[in-house]
Amino acid sequence: MVGGDCATFAPDPEPAPDEPEEPQIPAVITLADIASFVPTSPSVSTEPDGIAAKNMPMNSIAGSEAHTVAGDLFGLPVAVTFTPAGFRQDWGDGTVTESGTGGASWSALGQAEYTPTATSHAYAQKGTYALTITAQYTAVVDFGPYGTRPVDGIVSAPGASREIRVVEVHTALVQSDCTENPAAAGCPA
């Protein structure tokens, strides 16, 4: 200090806080991106329960619901919502079918037992088969404050299996004359 003049020193200004960078989320989310998110397997039941008559329709019923799986994707916490879109039935005898729904019981459909449904199958040979039903889902990833993105493609859940024993049925009671109506209930097809 010289001659009574005071020098003042201003502290360095606080640096401005860095604005968080917007995360780099791809415009298209692929099945490979969400491979670690596994949807729930469907429930599986059959009519009759675990048994089928050779050459007669056996009805399958699969159930699944929309559900959400949490995890991390691209370094962000996310929630992946899976919504049922269809079902794939591998009947275990070389036949594979697909349906838009999991099916319903004969009574819920208003149908007689052993009549064809959208989710039924008639086995041509006696034996034991593994029926495997796979649920197919659409998926949407929720990135929280950064929005949602649909997943490109259909996600398949691990298949649920059910053992089916196919037997040959011989019956003496018939609904009508099998000569006149070979497709009548109880008539050999």
Side-chain angles (χ1 to χ4, degrees):
M1 272 212 249
V2 178
D5 290 330
C6 291
T8 58
F9 295 95
D12 289 336
E14 290 283 324
D18 289 335
E19 287 291 320
E21 288 187 31
E22 186 83 15
Q24 297 298 315
I25 301 171
V28 176
I29 307 298
T30 67
L31 296 175
D33 293 330
I34 64 163
S36 64
F37 295 83
V38 180
T40 304
S41 296
S43 63
V44 175
S45 62
T46 62
E47 291 179 315
D49 188 17
I51 194 164
K54 178 182 167 187
N55 295 320
M56 294 181 73
M58 180 203 73
N59 191 27
S60 73
I61 304 149
S64 70
E65 296 178 350
H67 60 282
T68 301
V69 178
D72 291 318
L73 186 61
F74 309 122
L76 296 169
V78 300
V80 180
T81 300
F82 296 99
T83 303
F87 296 86
R88 180 179 186 270
Q89 300 89 4
D90 183 337
W91 298 96
D93 64 351
T95 305
V96 176
T97 58
E98 291 194 6
S99 60
T101 71
S105 68
W106 280 310
S107 64
L109 294 169
Q111 292 184 219
E113 293 180 343
Y114 301 101
T115 57
T117 69
T119 58
S120 69
H121 178 65
Y123 288 93
Q125 300 297 320
K126 295 186 311 180
T128 301
Y129 301 91
L131 164 62
T132 303
I133 299 183
T134 303
Q136 299 169 327
Y137 295 96
T138 59
V140 174
V141 180
D142 185 347
F143 288 95
Y146 305 109
T148 61
R149 302 270 197 301
V151 175
D152 188 28
I154 297 292
V155 180
S156 293
S161 292
R162 173 96 190 198
E163 187 174 279
I164 307 298
R165 188 168 63 109
V166 179
V167 298
E168 191 163 2
V169 176
H170 299 280
T171 179
L173 301 175
V174 296
Q175 186 177 31
S176 62
D177 184 334
C178 291
T179 305
E180 294 172 12
N181 185 4
C187 295

